[in-house]
Amino acid sequence: MQLPILSAAAEAAHAVPAWVAVAYLASGVLFILALRGLSSPATSRRGNRFGMLGMLIAVVTTLLTHEVATIGEIVGAIAIGGGIGFITARRIAMTDMPQLVAAFHSLVGLAAVLVAVAAFLNPEAFGILGADGNILTVSRVEMALGAAIGAITFSGSVIAFAKLNGNMSGSPIMLPGRHVINLGTLAAIIVLTALFAMSQAAGPGENQMFWIICGLSFAIGFLLIIPIGGADMPVVVSMLNSYSGWAAAAMGFTLHNTAMIITGALVGSSGAILSYIMCKAMNRSFISVIAGGFGAVADTGGGEAKAQRPWKRGSAEDAAFLLKEANQVIIIPGYGMAVAQAQHVLREMGDILRKEGVTVKYGIHPVAGRMPGHMNVLLAEANVPYDEVFELEDINGEFAQTDVAFIIGANDVVNPAAKTDKSSPIYGMPVFDVDKAKTVMFIKRSMGGVGYAGVDNDVFYMDQTMMLLADAKKMVEEINKALQH
């Protein structure tokens, strides 16, 4: 859920009208219902509607109670922003959703910085001046935190977007002494924030401290994300989502806007919880995520050592025969499916198999794709029924009774090394038990490729595994043709 930040003047010192408090409370309740709805694909559309209604109430209430701008300026701004959003939403491919989400986070962060700058340059309009004519201490803290978190969110999201969009390498870019630099920069931001809060009078020194805080925050956002590999972006996206919420909450205090405080806290806390869940699913330390560089994994060289092991190659016709004879098929999609845009032909394959009396289910790993829920979004776009899609913990016990585990574009999430090899970088990460299925079909472009962890996969060489080496979309299309003959 994205949070627009309203750059409005602060509420007047007099008591807030009762209807305003009720309106903001209603919007807060709707945001909570939105988060509840977004927890399940089956209720996600309803959750989005709740969120949209809650934001509409909050925006209208703020506009009615603040002299933000003239009606003409407001309508013009809505037309420009709404037009850009509408065109973007119409043109963006579902496979590019991770980039779009990262871009949204950057805008939220930048908005927080701009609100903090506006409050710093014109504190009187925001009602944050004390009796001595200086900015209140608590407002200084809120302003500095909002600017810092917003700047980190902005620059970090820009790097995430560039990695996801292919504008820069998705591999970890390891800077020498990065942890020392990060800790030093963070310490400097904290010290400067404290000095800025304790400053008693406006002056050149105060101005410099505020701008230095902003500059260092933009820098550390860049430093935190650039060492992280593109394959680890699910955690990064959820983490940046959390940052954007906290930035908005801090600005809500500066603006004395209850709706922003509530919504920012909801987004921040839910994003933090999601980040923790994603870290657990990837066997990562939550603290190391915040520190940056957690995605860097050294190449073990395992791929070359195992490349000469015997494996079986199958054809689309072989796959179609086994699929048609199966009682139950579990499909496990990964990022390779997204790259090939194979979700529609995969759904067609499922429809064909169901007509043949085959039970078809989809297993989704928490970190499959490039953002939380990436595979769910793609399958929903292809109109895959929600009741056929299961999370890892809900379907993992069924592989022993499954005839075919159909893996399309996934790798590390089905690698048994996570359970058996303590030296593996993915050891401890929950994975699908595909090795228990009677037959495993594995679609990948070539035997040379490995997952983000850079380790080979023993599933390739199992007796019951059939390797289907081709572009995922083309291979499934050929399987569908064979199924219909």
Side-chain angles (χ1 to χ4, degrees):
M1 185 172 71
Q2 303 301 318
L3 176 64
I5 297 181
L6 306 176
S7 54
E11 292 184 14
H14 56 75
V16 176
W19 74 268
V20 175
V22 172
Y24 282 153
L25 178 62
S27 66
V29 171
L30 287 168
F31 291 143
I32 294 173
L33 292 174
L35 287 175
R36 179 180 177 85
L38 292 172
S39 64
S40 168
T43 59
S44 60
R45 292 180 184 272
R46 185 174 60 199
N48 270 314
R49 294 190 187 100
F50 281 137
M52 292 166 64
L53 180 58
M55 185 55 66
L56 177 63
I57 293 173
V59 171
V60 171
T61 302
T62 300
L63 293 178
L64 291 177
T65 56
H66 296 73
E67 295 181 2
V68 182
T70 66
I71 295 298
E73 291 172 336
I74 293 172
V75 172
I78 292 175
I80 294 172
I84 294 173
F86 179 80
I87 294 173
T88 302
R90 294 283 294 179
R91 292 183 177 180
I92 197 75
M94 293 301 290
T95 48
D96 292 334
M97 282 299 293
Q99 295 94 302
L100 182 63
V101 171
F104 281 162
H105 289 159
S106 72
L107 294 177
V108 175
L110 182 60
V113 176
L114 293 177
V115 171
V117 170
F120 177 69
L121 296 177
N122 191 12
E124 185 176 3
F126 287 76
I128 57 176
L129 286 179
D132 58 358
N134 294 317
I135 300 174
L136 297 170
T137 300
V138 66
S139 296
R140 291 172 183 270
V141 175
E142 297 162 359
M143 190 186 306
L145 288 177
I149 300 174
I152 291 171
T153 304
F154 173 76
S155 56
S157 298
V158 168
I159 297 300
F161 173 87
K163 283 177 173 282
L164 290 168
N165 203 46
N167 300 111
M168 65 183 299
S169 173
S171 301
I173 301 175
M174 313 304 293
L175 301 177
R178 65 187 184 280
H179 294 305
V180 174
I181 296 173
N182 290 349
L183 288 174
T185 304
L186 181 61
I189 292 173
I190 294 173
V191 171
L192 287 171
T193 298
L195 293 174
F196 177 66
M198 293 185 294
S199 179
Q200 296 298 316
E206 180 189 64
N207 292 341
Q208 290 176 5
M209 279 189 287
F210 178 77
W211 297 122
I212 291 173
I213 290 171
C214 292
L216 290 176
S217 300
F218 279 120
I220 198 172
F222 170 84
L223 294 171
L224 286 173
I225 305 303
I226 199 171
I228 300 175
D232 290 333
M233 283 299 136
V235 183
V236 174
V237 170
S238 61
M239 179 180 67
L240 292 171
N241 182 57
S242 177
Y243 288 173
S244 69
W246 297 126
M251 287 300 94
F253 283 102
T254 299
L255 296 174
H256 305 286
N257 191 303
T258 307
M260 283 184 60
I261 297 172
I262 294 173
T263 312
L266 287 172
V267 174
S269 57
S270 61
I273 293 171
L274 180 59
S275 297
Y276 176 77
I277 294 173
M278 302 296 284
C279 287
K280 190 174 181 181
M282 296 183 73
N283 191 32
R284 304 291 191 186
S285 165
F286 184 70
I287 300 300
S288 66
V289 174
I290 300 174
F294 69 96
V297 179
D299 188 356
T300 62
E304 292 184 7
K306 297 183 179 182
Q308 300 304 316
R309 295 170 62 182
W311 52 277
K312 300 176 183 176
R313 181 166 187 169
S315 65
E317 289 73 18
D318 298 329
F321 175 79
L322 292 173
L323 287 169
K324 190 177 292 187
E325 295 297 317
N327 290 317
Q328 175 166 293
V329 174
I330 297 179
I331 300 172
I332 303 170
Y335 186 62
M337 183 196 75
V339 173
Q341 300 187 39
Q343 62 269 26
H344 294 282
V345 293
L346 188 66
R347 190 263 303 162
E348 291 174 9
M349 186 184 82
D351 292 342
I352 296 172
L353 291 175
R354 276 192 298 274
K355 292 178 180 178
E356 296 289 336
V358 180
T359 300
V360 179
K361 297 182 179 181
Y362 296 79
I364 307 295
H365 195 278
V367 297
R370 290 297 184 266
M371 71 174 186
H374 194 186
M375 295 300 105
N376 300 81
V377 170
L378 294 177
L379 294 179
E381 182 208 9
N383 294 319
V384 172
Y386 292 136
D387 58 0
E388 294 182 3
V389 181
F390 298 86
E391 301 296 329
L392 179 145
E393 62 271 15
D394 297 326
I395 201 171
N396 225 12
E398 296 191 28
F399 282 99
Q401 295 81 41
T402 297
D403 296 294
V404 177
F406 190 88
I407 305 166
I408 175 169
N411 196 331
D412 293 320
V413 299
V414 298
N415 194 334
K419 299 180 291 183
T420 59
D421 186 0
K422 292 185 178 181
S423 65
S424 173
I426 63 172
Y427 180 74
M429 183 177 82
V431 294
F432 287 107
D433 296 330
V434 297
D435 52 316
K436 296 180 180 179
K438 295 178 182 178
T439 300
V440 178
M441 298 183 187
F442 211 122
I443 298 182
K444 64 195 304 285
R445 287 184 177 275
S446 68
M447 291 297 295
V450 292
Y452 76 86
V455 294
D456 204 11
N457 192 336
D458 285 339
V459 172
F460 300 162
Y461 315 103
M462 295 190 310
D463 291 338
Q464 72 265 42
T465 298
M466 175 190 298
M467 300 301 299
L468 304 171
L469 304 183
D471 173 82
K473 184 177 181 180
K474 292 181 179 179
M475 174 56 71
V476 177
E477 286 176 340
E478 291 178 6
I479 292 175
N480 289 348
K481 291 179 181 178
L483 285 170
Q484 293 172 325
H485 284 88

